[in-house]
Structure formats: structure tokens, C-alpha cells
Amino acid sequence: MGRRSDHSRAELEALILDAGQALMAEVGLARFSAREVAKRIGYSVGTIMHMFGGIDPLVMAINSRTFLLWADWLEHRLSGLRGQERIEALVRGYFEFAEGHPNLWAAIYAHRLPEGTGLPEPLADQRARLTAIVTREVSAILAEERQEDAPSLARSLVATVHGHCSFALGGSFALLGETEPLALALRRVDEILRANGAALAEF
Amino acid sequence: MGRRSDHSRAELEALILDAGQALMAEVGLARFSAREVAKRIGYSVGTIMHMFGGIDPLVMAINSRTFLLWADWLEHRLSGLRGQERIEALVRGYFEFAEGHPNLWAAIYAHRLPEGTGLPEPLADQRARLTAIVTREVSAILAEERQEDAPSLARSLVATVHGHCSFALGGSFALLGETEPLALALRRVDEILRANGAALAEF
DNA sequence: ATTAAAATTGGACGCTGTTCAATTTCCATA
DNA sequence: TATGGAAATTGAACAGCGTCCAATTTTAAT
């Protein structure tokens, strides 16, 4: 025991986050376990506790990492698209990422940090990247005199799509007999954008 | 030990659900504990396990109960209102209930039942009541030739408001600098209803 | 080489959900 | 009213969890 220079501080952190995110993807937040992460990387639980300070900060770090993954994936998905195709790709992208990584996605919204504790600045920045992408795209199809509405409108659109995606993956829509959640979300986004003066082609 | 007729079967179930819901409201899903519920009602954990079959079914029952509470509260809130005031009251009601019972509300959406297991019919019915109210109100302000759109539109509106409420209580909006989540939700609902031919007064 | 500091461990603690044999109570029948 | 079988309830056991910390080992500086 003691400082084994098998891994540097940064390497060890990456090791923990890699294994942690993998475990989260496999079993979800409810069955996530710091002990299991420790077992997988060959360190003791104490090491993880010492580095992150508890299981909540660790989960926060993993979730912020998921946001990064998500944002990169979205950007890649936008490349080559033009005009309002890009907006549609954002909505589809939201759903597809969530469906492709349901446990990672659900962990983001199921995990509530004990009251009072806010996100450390760097983690907050990682999370804001996703909305920044949407703001940029919304801005691009908004008239010049409505540019100032873009940030607020983007946040609201993300919330709208999130609500539909959340009901789709959480089973609420299935419970209510709704079979086309994505189509619903796409229509709402279209309506909202038109109502706010976006330049969209006729249906 | 043995069948103590202190309480009938139904009484005991109500006792467990009462104490369970109270505990959920106090500590939230993450710190919810069947053992603590047992302690509070003076029975052993085994009794709860035997009645509900596990902690997941118990949480499901509590959450469905929360839906009932919510629906009743909403109905009461609608009484005396007319026209589009009723739609506005639904949106405000969604936010106010969530803000008034944050742990109960969050537990509904944070709890994901282990895959494959669906809700028992009676519980599903309890949950559908809330959307049924919205469908009724949406139907009331929709033109006759658009009546068939009401159920789907209502589900979508609930999802939209849920998304905004979820971002508000979960801290996403705060993180992104949004300070007026309710106002945002109200505007989106107005836009969506107008886009679908609802009879709403000029702003 | 010595020493102070940092990293890592393993074990303890109290908690959790789940299971089940043993016990107690109830109800129906004789 | 006595009795037997069925149902309810318990308490203890189990494995796992997050958290903590004294003890140990390694590293880096002197």
C-alpha cells in the first residue's frame, strides 16, 4: 500500500471515471456501486473515497462526462447538414442518445445532489456545452431582430424535447397510449420556432 | 407474532402507504428505506416485504398514491375558473405541486422499475387520471373539428410542462441562467395551443 | 540516509433489501 | 368448545452498501 506509481493522479482519475461510466451504463444509478468500481480497477474503495470525497461527487463527475460525450456526438451528427435539417437533427439526436445509452442518460436526471451543494464550475461548464450547441443553432434560424431571444428560447426547446424524451423512456407515454413520442417532439419544436419568428420552410 | 388483528389487511396497507409516503416526502427516494417505514408503524420489515413483495413495488404504490393526491389537488384548484384560466391553472398547478412536494414529485420520475415489469392495472389507472384531466381541459378549448387531436395534444403538453418543471427543480435551468421557468412553460403552452387551433383570446 | 508528507489499504461500523425457519394467531370445522 | 390447518408475523441471518480512519507503505525533499 501507499503511493504506488502504477498510475499518476490524473491517470487514476481517468481510470476511475472510465470504469465508473462503464458500470453506470451497465447497471444504472440505482445499482451503481463505488465498491464495484474499485474492484474493477484493482484499487480499494478508500482510494476512490479519498479522490472524490464520496459517491455523490463521483456520480456527478460521471454524469458531467456523459454530457461531454453527448455534446461531441451531437456535433458530429450535425456535420454536413444545412438549414432546418440541423434543428431536426438536434431533436432526433436527443432521443437517439438517450435510447442508445438509457442508463447513462437516466442517471443524469435521476441523481439529485444533496441540497445546497452546487456543481463545481468545471463540471457546470461541461453540462452547459449541450445547450450552447442548441443556442447556436436556434440563433442561426432566428431573424436578426430576435437574436436576443435565442438563449432563452433554446433552453426552453431543450426542456420541451427533454420532457418528451423523459416520458418516452420513462414509460409515461406508453402508459398513456402514446406511440410516437419523437414525432410529437418534432412537431412541438416546429410550432414553437414558428411562433417565435424562425425562418422555416412551409410544411 | 402471528396475525395480530390490531389492523385488518386493508388497514395495514394504508398504514404502510401513509408512513411510506410521509418518509418519502421527508427524505426522498435515495434515502427511502423499507426498514424505516416498518419501524415507524411498529411492524417488522418482513411484514412489508410480504405484503408488497419488495421495495420496488412499495415505491411504485407510493408514487401512484402521489398521482392521486396530485390529481385531486389539481381538480380542486380548477373549480371556479373559466375558459383559458383553466389551462393556465393546470400549468401553474403542475409547478406548484412539484415545488410543494419536491421529494414526492421527484420520486415519481427518478424511480425506474426493473426492466420488463410493468405497472399493475389499478396503479396505471391512478397515474392516468392526471393526464385525463388535461385531456378534458384541452378538449374544451379545441374546435369541434379538432377534437380527435385532444388526447395526443394533451399528452404532449404535459410532457412539455414536465420538461420545464424538471429542469426548474433539477437545477438545469439555474445552471443555464434561466430565472423564469414557469413563464417559459406558460408561453410554450400558449404557442402550442394556438398552433393547434385552440380558441384563445388575443394577448 | 533520514525524515516528513502523501497515498493506499483493510477492517470496522451501521445501514440496506432480501430471505426463511420458527412462532403465534386466526378461522373453520368437528 | 376443542382442535387442526392456514395465514400472518417475527427475528435472525446474509451479503452488500457508503463512510470513516488508524496503520502501513511509498514517494519526494532534505
Side-chain angles (χ1 to χ4, degrees):
Chain A
M1 318 108 192
R3 183 192 304 166
R4 326 179 313 185
S5 59
D6 293 359
H7 307 97
S8 76
R9 212 74 185 130
E11 282 174 338
L12 183 51
E13 184 175 327
L15 212 60
I16 293 172
L17 289 177
D18 277 348
Q21 195 167 36
L23 177 62
M24 186 69 83
E26 289 172 31
V27 306
L29 180 61
R31 300 198 211 296
F32 181 82
S33 148
R35 287 187 119 101
E36 174 64 22
V37 174
K39 200 179 300 177
R40 291 188 179 198
I41 63 173
Y43 278 76
S44 77
V45 208
T47 300
I48 293 183
M49 281 341 221
H50 186 252
M51 282 204 67
F52 286 87
I55 202 184
D56 278 326
L58 173 57
V59 170
M60 277 165 42
I62 291 173
N63 285 345
S64 295
R65 219 166 186 253
T66 299
F67 263 104
L68 276 189
L69 187 69
W70 196 356
D72 286 345
W73 180 83
L74 254 192
E75 284 284 26
H76 185 263
R77 221 161 177 292
L78 284 177
S79 67
L81 299 182
R82 297 189 174 280
Q84 67 197 79
E85 277 182 346
R86 296 174 71 86
I87 299 288
E88 190 176 320
L90 288 178
V91 180
R92 292 187 187 276
Y94 200 102
F95 271 73
E96 278 180 31
F97 184 88
E99 285 163 357
H101 313 275
N103 285 333
L104 290 182
W105 180 82
I108 288 175
Y109 298 104
H111 185 246
R112 311 191 97 68
L113 29 162
E115 65 171 285
T117 42
L119 276 181
E121 195 78 14
L123 295 192
D125 290 347
Q126 292 183 21
R127 299 194 177 207
R129 269 194 59 199
L130 196 111
T131 307
I133 293 174
V134 177
T135 304
R136 185 192 66 209
E137 299 299 327
V138 167
S139 191
I141 63 163
L142 235 46
E144 286 189 31
E145 69 270 19
R146 308 284 298 255
Q147 285 297 313
E148 58 186 353
D149 297 344
S152 163
L153 184 55
R155 291 191 286 260
S156 185
L157 285 169
V158 173
T160 301
V161 174
H162 170 74
H164 284 75
C165 194
S166 175
F167 273 21
L169 269 73
S172 295
F173 270 150
L175 186 79
L176 301 170
E178 178 58 58
T179 60
E180 304 285 352
L182 174 59
L184 235 44
L186 284 167
R187 200 160 341 143
R188 294 297 91 85
V189 168
D190 185 78
E191 290 165 358
I192 292 168
L193 283 173
R194 284 180 197 278
N196 286 272
L200 295 174
E202 288 291 326
F203 185 83
Chain B
M1 319 106 191
R3 184 191 306 163
R4 326 178 312 185
S5 58
D6 293 359
H7 308 98
S8 74
R9 210 74 185 133
E11 282 173 337
L12 182 50
E13 184 175 327
L15 212 59
I16 293 173
L17 288 178
D18 279 347
Q21 196 166 36
L23 177 62
M24 186 70 82
E26 288 173 31
V27 304
L29 180 61
R31 302 199 209 294
F32 182 83
S33 147
R35 288 187 119 101
E36 176 63 24
V37 174
K39 199 178 302 178
R40 291 189 179 198
I41 64 173
Y43 279 76
S44 76
V45 208
T47 299
I48 293 183
M49 282 338 218
H50 186 251
M51 282 204 67
F52 287 86
I55 202 183
D56 279 325
L58 172 57
V59 171
M60 276 165 42
I62 291 172
N63 285 345
S64 295
R65 221 166 184 252
T66 299
F67 263 104
L68 276 190
L69 187 68
W70 196 356
D72 286 345
W73 180 83
L74 255 191
E75 285 283 25
H76 184 262
R77 220 162 177 293
L78 284 177
S79 68
L81 300 182
R82 297 188 175 280
Q84 67 197 78
E85 278 182 345
R86 296 174 70 87
I87 298 290
E88 190 177 320
L90 288 178
V91 179
R92 291 187 188 276
Y94 200 102
F95 271 74
E96 277 180 33
F97 184 88
E99 284 161 359
H101 312 275
N103 284 334
L104 290 182
W105 180 82
I108 288 175
Y109 298 105
H111 184 246
R112 310 192 97 68
L113 31 160
E115 65 171 284
T117 43
L119 276 180
E121 195 77 15
L123 295 192
D125 290 347
Q126 292 183 21
R127 301 195 175 205
R129 269 195 58 198
L130 195 111
T131 306
I133 293 174
V134 177
T135 303
R136 185 192 66 209
E137 298 300 328
V138 167
S139 191
I141 62 161
L142 236 43
E144 285 189 30
E145 69 269 20
R146 306 284 297 256
Q147 285 297 312
E148 57 185 353
D149 297 343
S152 162
L153 184 55
R155 291 191 287 260
S156 186
L157 285 169
V158 173
T160 300
V161 175
H162 170 75
H164 284 75
C165 193
S166 175
F167 273 20
L169 271 73
S172 296
F173 270 150
L175 185 79
L176 301 169
E178 178 58 57
T179 61
E180 303 287 351
L182 174 58
L184 234 43
L186 284 167
R187 201 162 338 144
R188 295 296 92 86
V189 167
D190 186 77
E191 291 165 356
I192 292 168
L193 283 172
R194 285 180 197 277
N196 286 272
L200 295 174
E202 288 292 327
F203 185 82

